[in-house]
């Protein structure tokens, strides 16, 4: 129906099967994250723009052109919808003094992020990310554990069999400038041959040269100096340790010195998860230190983020279904208004016994209730009617065969459970 307004550009409503899918996915993610020792954290959707402009990098796409600014009365501060959640979590950590708790802290979040993406690229402007962060540790085991946990989720919970991790190190403030110099002087030789974006990157953010997907730049990229050859002693050792953990845990990974990620805050480890067959990135993360940038206090951390909309697309392509509540086990109907509440108590009993029960007490006639039960595809229907109820019984009807019998209420739960189990064999 045409309304005088529509949903905002680049945003999506989820209802029906889509909503069921996300509910199930959230459920899996909450359970999994908690099991792996991460604590849930929520931050506002709205943040001071500086949280991002001072961390993601002035020349990152997000800061340059993709932030949603809010109209506010405040004259001094500008507020934006969060484009990512690593910087907000570090804001909380530092602002609320979480560094005084036993370190490190392991956080997870599931939430909406906002970026003014170009809609023709098929990307949403509001999207959902699951993220993990380990804050307060420089130890290479933290990097490994983040990579491992994301891998485990994709492989064992979502059943992506051919997951691969691409891994790189971006070095630190000591070794990276030297590499940048090397890279810049290499690319200067080709500055008239590389694409326009790369010509700009060469001046503003040379590391992003390695990120170029433009075909004309590929030959130059291929022969560019490898950052792994320029790492200082500490970065190199840190990287070797991660690799040895990965080797021992049978994680499928490969080194990729062109992997740089889109935000400036990364240092040392960066990684992405890929599907082996189509080289499609599912998400990734890396190491960062926003305490050092914001308040000159080293606060080493490492994290990952995965976009759930993309995971959904891939699961659909692979025909993997993720449904929260498939069909109800049983439907309860009543005959006669005075039995409504008694029937409702029976529903509550069945639910307390762990059954998934449906009903439609918003319709009065039995035939309307049964028609609804038939449409939603329930196999078993319990009918609460006066005559049977006077003998503490109800009617149990099998919709498929049409057979029905009278069953004592005390035996109802077991009878339904038995039928459900024999049906599933
Ligand atoms: Zn270094
Ligand atoms: Zn290029």
């Amino acid at each position: 129906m045409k309304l005088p307004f529509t949903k905002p550009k680049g945003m999506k409503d989820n209802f029906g099967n889509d909503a069921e899918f996300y509910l199930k996915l959230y459920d899996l993610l909450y359970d999994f994250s908690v099991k792996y020792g991460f604590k849930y954290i929520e931050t506002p959707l709205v943040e001071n723009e500086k949280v991002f402009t001072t961390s993601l990098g002035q020349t990152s796409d997000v800061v340059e052109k993709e932030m949603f600014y809010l109209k506010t009365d405040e004259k001094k501060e500008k507020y934006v919808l969060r484009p990512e959640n690593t910087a907000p979590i570090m804001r909380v950590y530092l602002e609320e003094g979480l560094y005084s708790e036993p370190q490190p802290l392991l956080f997870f979040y599931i939430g909406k992020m906002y970026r003014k993406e170009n809609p023709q690229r098929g990307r949403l402007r509001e999207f959902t990310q699951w993220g993990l962060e380990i804050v307060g540790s420089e130890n290479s085991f933290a990097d490994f554990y983040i990579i491992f946990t994301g891998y485990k989720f994709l492989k064992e919970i979502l059943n992506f069999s051919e997951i691969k991790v691409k891994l790189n190190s971006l070095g630190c403030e000591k070794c990276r400038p030297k590499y940048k110099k090397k890279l810049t002087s290499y690319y200067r030789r080709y500055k008239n041959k590389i694409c326009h974006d790369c010509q700009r990157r060469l001046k503003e953010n040379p590391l992003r040269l390695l990120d170029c997907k433009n075909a004309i730049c590929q030959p130059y990229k291929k022969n560019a100096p490898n950052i792994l050859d320029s790492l200082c002693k500490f970065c190199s050792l840190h990287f070797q340790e991660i690799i040895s953990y990965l080797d021992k845990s049978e994680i499928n990974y490969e080194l990729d010195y062109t992997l740089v990620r889109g935000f400036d805050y990364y240092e040392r480890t960066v990684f992405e998860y890929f599907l082996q067959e189509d080289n499609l990135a599912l998400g990734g993360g890396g190491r960062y230190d926003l305490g050092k940038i914001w308040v000159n206090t080293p606060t080493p951390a490492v994290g990952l983020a995965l976009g759930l909309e993309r995971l959904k697309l891939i699961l659909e392509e692979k025909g993997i279904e993720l449904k929260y509540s498939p069909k109800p086990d049983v439907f309860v109907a009543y005959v006669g208004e005075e039995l409504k509440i008694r029937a409702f108590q029976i529903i509550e009993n069945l639910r307390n016994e762990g059954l998934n029960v449906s009903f439609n007490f918003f319709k009065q006639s039995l035939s309307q209730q049964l028609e609804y039960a038939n449409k939603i595809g329930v196999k078993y229907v319990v009918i609460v009617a006066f005559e049977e109820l006077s003998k503490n019984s109800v009617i149990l009807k099998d919709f498929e065969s049409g057979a029905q019998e009278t069953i004592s209420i005390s035996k109802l739960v077991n009878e339904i459970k038995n039928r459900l189990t024999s049906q599933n064999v």
Side-chain angles (χ1 to χ4, degrees):
M1 201 172 286
K2 200 162 168 56
L3 293 172
F5 36 75
T6 58
K7 65 171 173 270
K9 183 165 138 188
M11 311 228 168
K12 189 174 177 296
D13 301 305
N14 289 316
F15 48 87
N17 283 344
D18 288 345
E20 291 268 295
F21 173 93
Y22 283 113
L23 193 57
K24 179 72 190 171
L25 186 56
Y26 298 158
D27 209 30
L28 291 171
L29 284 166
Y30 285 121
D31 264 11
F32 180 83
S33 310
V34 170
K35 185 175 151 196
Y36 276 78
F38 291 83
K39 299 266 190 290
Y40 185 57
I41 186 167
E42 273 183 19
T43 66
L45 295 185
V46 177
E47 290 280 352
N48 190 309
E49 67 160 347
K50 288 181 194 143
V51 171
F52 309 105
T53 54
T54 58
S55 62
L56 306 187
Q58 287 297 331
T59 60
S60 67
D61 286 352
V62 168
V63 168
E64 263 189 346
K65 56 196 178 202
E66 293 176 355
M67 289 226 276
F68 275 97
Y69 280 87
L70 301 180
K71 261 193 173 161
T72 54
D73 297 332
E74 326 276 328
K75 293 218 171 64
K76 287 185 205 137
E77 308 294 352
K78 286 185 179 164
Y79 291 108
V80 294
L81 292 177
R82 62 183 185 193
E84 62 97 62
N85 209 22
T86 294
I89 286 175
M90 287 313 300
R91 195 237 341 118
V92 178
Y93 180 90
L94 296 164
E95 187 174 350
E96 304 290 341
L98 303 185
Y99 41 80
S100 58
E101 293 180 15
Q103 302 294 302
L105 295 182
L106 285 70
F107 299 112
F108 83 96
Y109 61 87
I110 297 172
K112 301 285 186 190
M113 309 295 152
Y114 300 84
R115 292 180 200 169
K116 263 188 206 163
E117 295 264 12
N118 220 338
Q120 69 239 28
R121 286 163 69 203
R123 298 235 186 124
L124 290 169
R125 292 181 157 199
E126 182 190 64
F127 55 99
T128 321
Q129 283 189 331
W130 168 57
L132 304 174
E133 315 284 351
I134 298 181
V135 185
S137 173
E138 202 178 1
N139 195 297
S140 56
F141 195 81
D143 307 58
F144 162 74
Y145 191 64
I146 288 284
I147 296 171
F148 174 85
T149 310
Y151 187 85
K152 197 93 178 162
F153 183 77
L154 292 167
K155 184 151 180 150
E156 287 177 18
I157 308 294
L158 294 188
N159 293 315
F160 288 139
S161 47
E162 69 291 357
I163 285 289
K164 183 173 63 180
V165 181
K166 287 191 182 175
L167 183 66
N168 193 19
S169 174
L170 299 179
C172 64
E173 57 201 350
K174 292 195 186 72
C175 53
R176 186 160 25 170
K178 288 179 201 151
Y179 174 70
K180 272 190 187 168
K181 241 182 222 164
K182 250 180 167 175
L183 188 68
T184 319
S185 68
Y186 165 81
Y187 264 102
R188 263 200 210 110
R189 284 179 264 161
Y190 309 107
K191 79 168 181 243
N192 298 320
K193 294 180 176 153
I194 52 181
C195 74
H196 279 291
D197 279 341
C198 281
Q199 288 173 4
R200 199 170 53 103
R201 288 175 183 132
L202 186 53
K203 283 193 210 112
E204 291 172 354
N205 194 349
L207 274 185
R208 296 296 305 279
L209 284 161
L210 298 169
D211 205 22
C212 185
K213 305 281 184 284
N214 199 319
I216 63 165
C217 299
Q218 299 313 305
Y220 310 111
K221 196 169 124 174
K222 216 175 104 197
N223 296 317
N226 186 333
I227 190 164
L228 297 177
D229 300 332
S230 301
L231 297 182
C232 68
K233 205 169 70 189
F234 298 103
C235 288
S236 183
L237 182 66
H238 194 262
F239 196 59
Q240 289 310 319
E241 286 169 356
I242 297 168
I243 288 175
S244 85
Y245 291 131
L246 291 173
D247 282 337
K248 284 170 197 149
S249 59
E250 293 173 350
I251 283 182
N252 183 12
Y253 74 93
E254 68 179 38
L255 303 185
D256 181 352
Y257 74 96
T258 68
L259 182 68
V260 291
R261 307 275 300 156
F263 299 144
D264 282 4
Y265 58 52
Y266 287 116
E267 55 176 34
R268 290 192 173 166
T269 322
V270 284
F271 64 91
E272 280 180 358
Y273 299 102
F274 279 83
L275 278 184
Q276 198 127 15
E277 54 190 27
D278 38 19
N279 225 21
L280 191 67
L282 297 169
R287 180 164 277 287
Y288 55 89
D289 191 337
L290 295 184
K292 201 167 59 188
I293 297 171
W294 286 339
V295 283
N296 206 16
T297 305
T299 315
V302 56
L304 69 75
L306 295 182
L308 303 190
E309 284 77 9
R310 175 168 285 192
L311 285 186
K312 180 172 188 283
L313 269 181
I314 298 166
L315 284 167
E316 278 167 355
E317 279 170 17
K318 295 186 165 298
I320 300 174
E321 274 198 47
L322 218 58
K323 273 198 178 173
Y324 195 79
S325 48
K327 282 178 191 166
D329 298 321
V330 58
F331 183 90
V332 175
Y334 69 97
V335 192
E337 193 60 26
E338 66 276 21
L339 295 186
K340 203 176 201 168
I341 287 299
R342 182 68 188 104
F344 193 64
Q345 289 162 350
I346 291 175
I347 291 179
E348 283 299 286
N349 282 339
L350 296 174
R351 284 187 173 150
N352 288 340
E353 294 293 333
L355 291 168
N356 181 352
V357 188
S358 174
F359 70 100
N360 191 338
F361 285 14
F362 317 105
K363 307 221 187 261
Q364 291 208 342
S365 83
L366 179 64
S367 63
Q368 282 178 317
Q369 294 175 56
L370 294 183
E371 188 190 328
Y372 176 84
N374 196 21
K375 277 187 183 156
I376 62 170
V378 190
K379 189 164 172 351
Y380 299 108
V381 179
V382 171
I383 300 169
V384 182
F386 199 76
E387 199 193 320
E388 285 75 15
L389 200 58
S390 66
K391 298 173 215 150
N392 272 324
S393 299
V394 290
I395 299 166
L396 180 60
K397 183 181 165 88
D398 182 328
F399 243 144
E400 276 166 30
S401 68
Q404 62 178 57
E405 56 185 295
T406 303
I407 302 230
S408 139
I409 292 178
S410 59
K411 291 181 183 152
L412 184 63
V413 170
N414 278 342
E415 179 62 29
I416 295 172
K417 283 187 176 170
N418 286 342
R419 291 192 188 196
L420 288 169
T421 7
S422 57
Q423 168 193 323
N424 290 334
V425 171

